[in-house]
Amino acid sequence: MFVNITEMSEFSQEEKDNIDKQFEELLSHSPKCHKNEETIALVRKAFKVANEAHFGTRRRSGEPYILHPIAVARIVSDEIGLGSKSVIAALLHDVVEDTDITLEDISSMFSPKIAQIVDGLTKIRGVLKNKEGQAENFKKIVFTLSEDVRVIIIKLADRLHNMRTLDSMPPEKQIRIAEETSMLFVPLAHRMGFYRIKMEMEDLCLKYLKPNVYYDILHQLKGSEKKRIHYLNRFCIPIMMTLEQHNINYSITSRSKSISSIWAKMQKKNISFDNVYDVFAVRIILQDIPLEEEKAMCWRVYSYITDKYTPNPERLRDWISTPKDNGYEALHTTVMGPDGTWVEVQIRTQRMDEIAENGFAAHWKYKNIDGFEQSQLEVWMKRVQASLTNPDEDALKFLDEFKMNLYATDLFAFTPKGEMHRFPIGATALDFAYEIHSEIGHHAIGARINKQKIVAIDYKLQSGDQVEILTSESQKPQKEWFKIISTVKASNALQQVFKYEKKRNHMRGQQILAETLEEKDVPVTHTVIDKIVQGYGVVDKNELYEKLGAGDLNKDKIFEYATQKRKSKKILFWSFSPNKEEQEEEQEGNDVKIIRHSTNYTIADCCHPIPGDQVIGFKTENGYEIHKDNCPIAIERQLKETAQRIKWISKQEQVFLASIQIKGKDRIGILSEMSGIIAKQLNVNIRTVHIETMEKEFTAYLDLYIHDSQQLNTMMMSLQKIKDIEKVQRVEQYTFTINTNKSNN
Ligand code: MN
């Protein structure tokens, strides 16, 4: 040992003995480090290097620092079951950051692989120190997953130990660390299948974030323990007798729910502790079952149990036939026990149990067994990486999506050829289309489910559905689709389309504005642009350019707005020209039929298209039968007969004028949100707007051209949903004197 004597004197003999003792315990508990002399020597060397590097330093609790890396190595080895490389990396995990040892030193003393893992761990530490915000940090952490998954596992162990020893930290640090843990590490542990670690972390987070709740539930659990044990005996004995009768080798355990999951249940159902009936679950672990007999055996035991107790059919979960995304396998059922109490029973084999407890680490152990599916982690990592490939995606959204994919339980759907695809619950036929290929997504018009019914693209997939996507060349991605997709893949594909369109409109709008102003010799200054922005009632110049470029704003008004005197804030007018598409439509010949109101047609009863809908028509004796193009009946009919693409021209006289009154809190942007919904989403033309503001409240009267009352209702409901809008109602035509040359549109 070449240790500086003065530093050495800082530790007492007792402390030094304890360090050695802790390390020897680590070694004796790590069977995987005993493969050969060489491995043991390397682990010893890692300890020696770390011990010397951290020598003389202490944790906040006062104990020698080296006890922390030893404890982390022990979690990695005993509790997770990783091998010697991970143990070595765990022992060295803080040396690069805290001491003079460099990565090159580690690489040459041990191996480049170990240096790489330590490097990953050091990087995460750097990321966490950063104040950039949790979402951005999380993204960076997930990136390191692609390097070596052991980095994340060791980091979890590190955080678990820090959480276990959080008592010695000052209160404000306890809260910060607990918050970070529940935000970042709990979801990670869950995702990777480390249930036990996840549960412990969650409980520790609760202990520091909501100590009252934590200790309250803890005491109640302890208080009801005797009663619970007594009940469990009554429940388990009949099961044990049956299993023994059938010569089944098993172990039976019961475990109470974690404190945090009891708390979650109490909150979710708004009940007290006494009313949380499934505080515990009974677990039956079958021993010595060959892999190929696992499934049959679990079901056999299921049938023995349900012979004794009546199962609740709604609570049967078969995670054996289709394991969870993170690899979890088991059979769960809830049965009616003595005294009419529901009890959850989990049935699994020893192999499944190890996976359930230790997640992917256990997978590796079984990886070589024939027929055992390879780690699902890779599937998941690919998914996360796919969502990272969108380079300028904003980090918070990423976190949302990540969580969305994280907690959603999955469903499975199949292609006509029988390939299985996994989706979050709530995914639609459109998600399925995008999962297959973005081009199929862009052109999807519906789907045929299980070779039978035809459904629209917003159909919610059911687990087990066989989905055949129906496409049409004429279909184009719609903005509304964002509301009916829930996978990251579909969202990315759609965003790409609209990002391009937005950019194009922005440039076009800028050009229109510049040209118009130049023509009239108006200089393009900030003041002028501000006036135009205000004139149109848009949020800012970006929205102005985009809407001008998209043709959503009447460009003839540019000059008028640019030269107008600033008006009082109280009254604001603007108008929208009727759809300009009319002229273009006239020219579309050939395969598009134009229906005017003079043409004979009937409106299909099934889908009730109104002017403005994308429609198709089937030839009838004297005209056309018009359907929405995504009408299931029309889609089915198209398989047998050809439909005519139809553009529908709405005549002015077909609309009528309606007035609504809107009341709400006045805030910046609320106007443009309102007009955005009215003009863009609902394609309604606004005739006049009158707004009165009083203190922080406003009342707006809108005159609108409406096609029918259904449209009016939809619009009123959409307006009602805007934040700070309190009341929307239809009113009789109001009279109010207006400057005629501004309102006659
Ligand atoms: Mn550490």
Side-chain angles (χ1 to χ4, degrees), residues 352-459:
M352 295 173 187
D353 188 55
E354 271 181 62
I355 287 169
E357 295 289 300
N358 290 327
F360 288 99
H363 270 284
W364 291 339
K365 186 174 158 189
Y366 290 100
K367 217 172 173 176
N368 298 328
I369 296 177
D370 269 355
F372 185 73
E373 208 188 321
Q374 210 204 352
S375 145
Q376 286 286 333
L377 182 63
E378 284 155 40
V379 176
W380 171 69
M381 269 165 56
K382 274 192 197 128
R383 221 197 246 183
V384 173
Q385 276 161 1
S387 70
L388 291 173
T389 48
N390 201 343
D392 48 8
E393 195 174 16
D394 123 65
L396 260 176
K397 222 178 95 234
F398 169 80
L399 186 58
D400 278 352
E401 279 166 2
F402 183 82
K403 277 204 215 133
M404 176 170 96
N405 278 349
L406 204 60
Y407 286 115
T409 330
D410 293 342
L411 63 84
F412 303 90
F414 300 86
T415 65
K417 283 182 181 160
E419 282 165 40
M420 188 176 85
H421 292 269
R422 201 185 279 264
F423 297 91
I425 297 256
T428 56
L430 189 58
D431 284 309
F432 190 96
Y434 275 109
E435 176 69 23
I436 306 301
H437 197 280
S438 58
E439 280 303 309
I440 294 183
H442 292 338
H443 296 291
I445 53 164
R448 193 199 303 270
I449 304 297
N450 299 327
K451 298 191 172 152
Q452 286 172 354
K453 59 175 175 179
I454 303 268
V455 296
I457 49 175
D458 62 354
Y459 166 81

Side-chain angles (χ1 to χ4, degrees), residues 13 298 420 468 564 649:
Q13 190 55 45
C298 289
M420 188 176 85
E468 181 190 350
Q564 76 190 341
I649 307 268

Side-chain angles (χ1 to χ4, degrees), residues 59 65 68-69 72 90 93-94 98 125 155 158-159 161-162:
R59 302 192 85 202
Y65 194 89
H68 165 65
V72 173
H93 81 267
D94 280 332
D98 293 343
R125 237 181 96 163
K155 188 68 214 174
D158 180 33
R159 179 50 63 106
H161 185 245
N162 286 335

Side-chain angles (χ1 to χ4, degrees), residues 282-511:
V282 169
R283 184 173 297 158
I284 297 168
I285 298 160
L286 308 176
Q287 321 272 1
D288 312 318
I289 310 287
L291 197 68
E292 61 277 10
E293 285 168 30
E294 283 188 334
K295 191 172 165 181
M297 271 309 289
C298 289
W299 282 105
R300 233 175 97 193
V301 170
Y302 170 81
S303 98
Y304 295 148
I305 292 167
T306 50
D307 281 347
K308 297 275 167 214
Y309 301 114
T310 315
N312 178 344
E314 309 230 310
R315 300 284 302 269
L316 175 64
R317 299 284 179 274
D318 175 9
W319 302 115
I320 296 180
S321 307
T322 41
K324 280 194 193 175
D325 216 9
N326 57 19
Y328 181 80
E329 291 171 85
L331 208 54
H332 289 193
T333 179
T334 300
V335 299
M336 179 73 80
D339 304 338
T341 306
W342 290 110
V343 179
E344 182 178 307
V345 182
Q346 304 173 349
I347 306 163
R348 44 168 96 146
T349 64
Q350 204 175 357
R351 178 189 67 82
M352 295 173 187
D353 188 55
E354 271 181 62
I355 287 169
E357 295 289 300
N358 290 327
F360 288 99
H363 270 284
W364 291 339
K365 186 174 158 189
Y366 290 100
K367 217 172 173 176
N368 298 328
I369 296 177
D370 269 355
F372 185 73
E373 208 188 321
Q374 210 204 352
S375 145
Q376 286 286 333
L377 182 63
E378 284 155 40
V379 176
W380 171 69
M381 269 165 56
K382 274 192 197 128
R383 221 197 246 183
V384 173
Q385 276 161 1
S387 70
L388 291 173
T389 48
N390 201 343
D392 48 8
E393 195 174 16
D394 123 65
L396 260 176
K397 222 178 95 234
F398 169 80
L399 186 58
D400 278 352
E401 279 166 2
F402 183 82
K403 277 204 215 133
M404 176 170 96
N405 278 349
L406 204 60
Y407 286 115
T409 330
D410 293 342
L411 63 84
F412 303 90
F414 300 86
T415 65
K417 283 182 181 160
E419 282 165 40
M420 188 176 85
H421 292 269
R422 201 185 279 264
F423 297 91
I425 297 256
T428 56
L430 189 58
D431 284 309
F432 190 96
Y434 275 109
E435 176 69 23
I436 306 301
H437 197 280
S438 58
E439 280 303 309
I440 294 183
H442 292 338
H443 296 291
I445 53 164
R448 193 199 303 270
I449 304 297
N450 299 327
K451 298 191 172 152
Q452 286 172 354
K453 59 175 175 179
I454 303 268
V455 296
I457 49 175
D458 62 354
Y459 166 81
K460 288 212 165 35
L461 298 174
Q462 306 294 310
S463 211
D465 275 350
Q466 192 172 45
V467 186
E468 181 190 350
I469 297 293
L470 307 170
T471 58
S472 156
E473 268 306 302
S474 59
Q475 178 69 295
K476 273 191 303 196
Q478 321 277 323
K479 285 227 169 83
E480 290 70 40
W481 286 8
F482 281 111
K483 290 185 208 138
I484 55 175
I485 52 163
S486 51
T487 58
V488 174
K489 203 166 170 183
S491 157
N492 279 351
L494 266 181
Q495 264 168 23
Q496 286 303 329
V497 172
F498 290 111
K499 203 187 286 168
Y500 174 72
E501 198 182 285
K502 216 168 144 182
K503 226 183 208 164
R504 207 183 46 193
N505 286 340
H506 194 277
M507 280 164 63
R508 196 184 284 159
Q510 222 167 351
Q511 201 183 357

Side-chain angles (χ1 to χ4, degrees), residues 448 454 470 618 634-642:
R448 193 199 303 270
I454 303 268
L470 307 170
F618 297 100
I635 291 169
E636 192 165 45
R637 257 178 85 172
Q638 279 185 86
L639 302 171
K640 286 177 248 136
E641 63 189 288
T642 8

Side-chain angles (χ1 to χ4, degrees), residues 590-628:
N590 308 340
D591 61 326
V592 178
K593 195 84 191 162
I594 295 173
I595 292 275
R596 312 195 147 275
H597 294 295
S598 51
T599 318
N600 269 330
Y601 65 91
T602 49
I603 305 265
D605 278 340
C606 44
C607 54
H608 297 291
I610 57 165
D613 282 346
Q614 295 271 344
V615 288
I616 51 172
F618 297 100
K619 195 125 185 65
T620 59
E621 268 173 47
N622 50 2
Y624 289 94
E625 185 182 317
I626 315 289
H627 290 260
K628 285 188 189 165

Side-chain angles (χ1 to χ4, degrees), residues 32-132:
K32 285 183 181 168
C33 297
H34 285 267
K35 267 184 279 179
N36 52 46
E37 287 300 312
E38 214 178 314
T39 340
I40 298 178
L42 269 181
V43 176
R44 282 194 183 280
K45 186 167 156 194
F47 166 65
K48 199 173 144 208
V49 170
N51 194 19
E52 282 163 17
H54 290 300
F55 204 81
T57 55
R58 293 175 188 278
R59 302 192 85 202
R60 186 174 269 272
S61 61
E63 61 177 18
Y65 194 89
I66 186 68
L67 293 178
H68 165 65
I70 293 175
V72 173
R74 224 171 138 176
I75 294 172
V76 160
S77 154
D78 294 12
E79 298 185 39
I80 305 180
L82 294 184
S84 59
K85 275 200 191 65
S86 307
V87 168
I88 292 170
L91 285 170
L92 298 169
H93 81 267
D94 280 332
V95 297
V96 172
E97 178 89 8
D98 293 343
T99 76
D100 294 337
I101 290 176
T102 64
L103 279 177
E104 290 74 48
D105 296 338
I106 293 176
S107 182
S108 62
M109 279 190 282
F110 299 94
S111 71
K113 183 82 227 176
I114 286 172
Q116 191 205 332
I117 298 175
V118 173
D119 185 33
L121 287 161
T122 312
K123 273 187 201 143
I124 294 184
R125 237 181 96 163
V127 164
L128 289 175
K129 271 192 191 157
N130 211 315
K131 293 280 174 285
E132 241 181 307

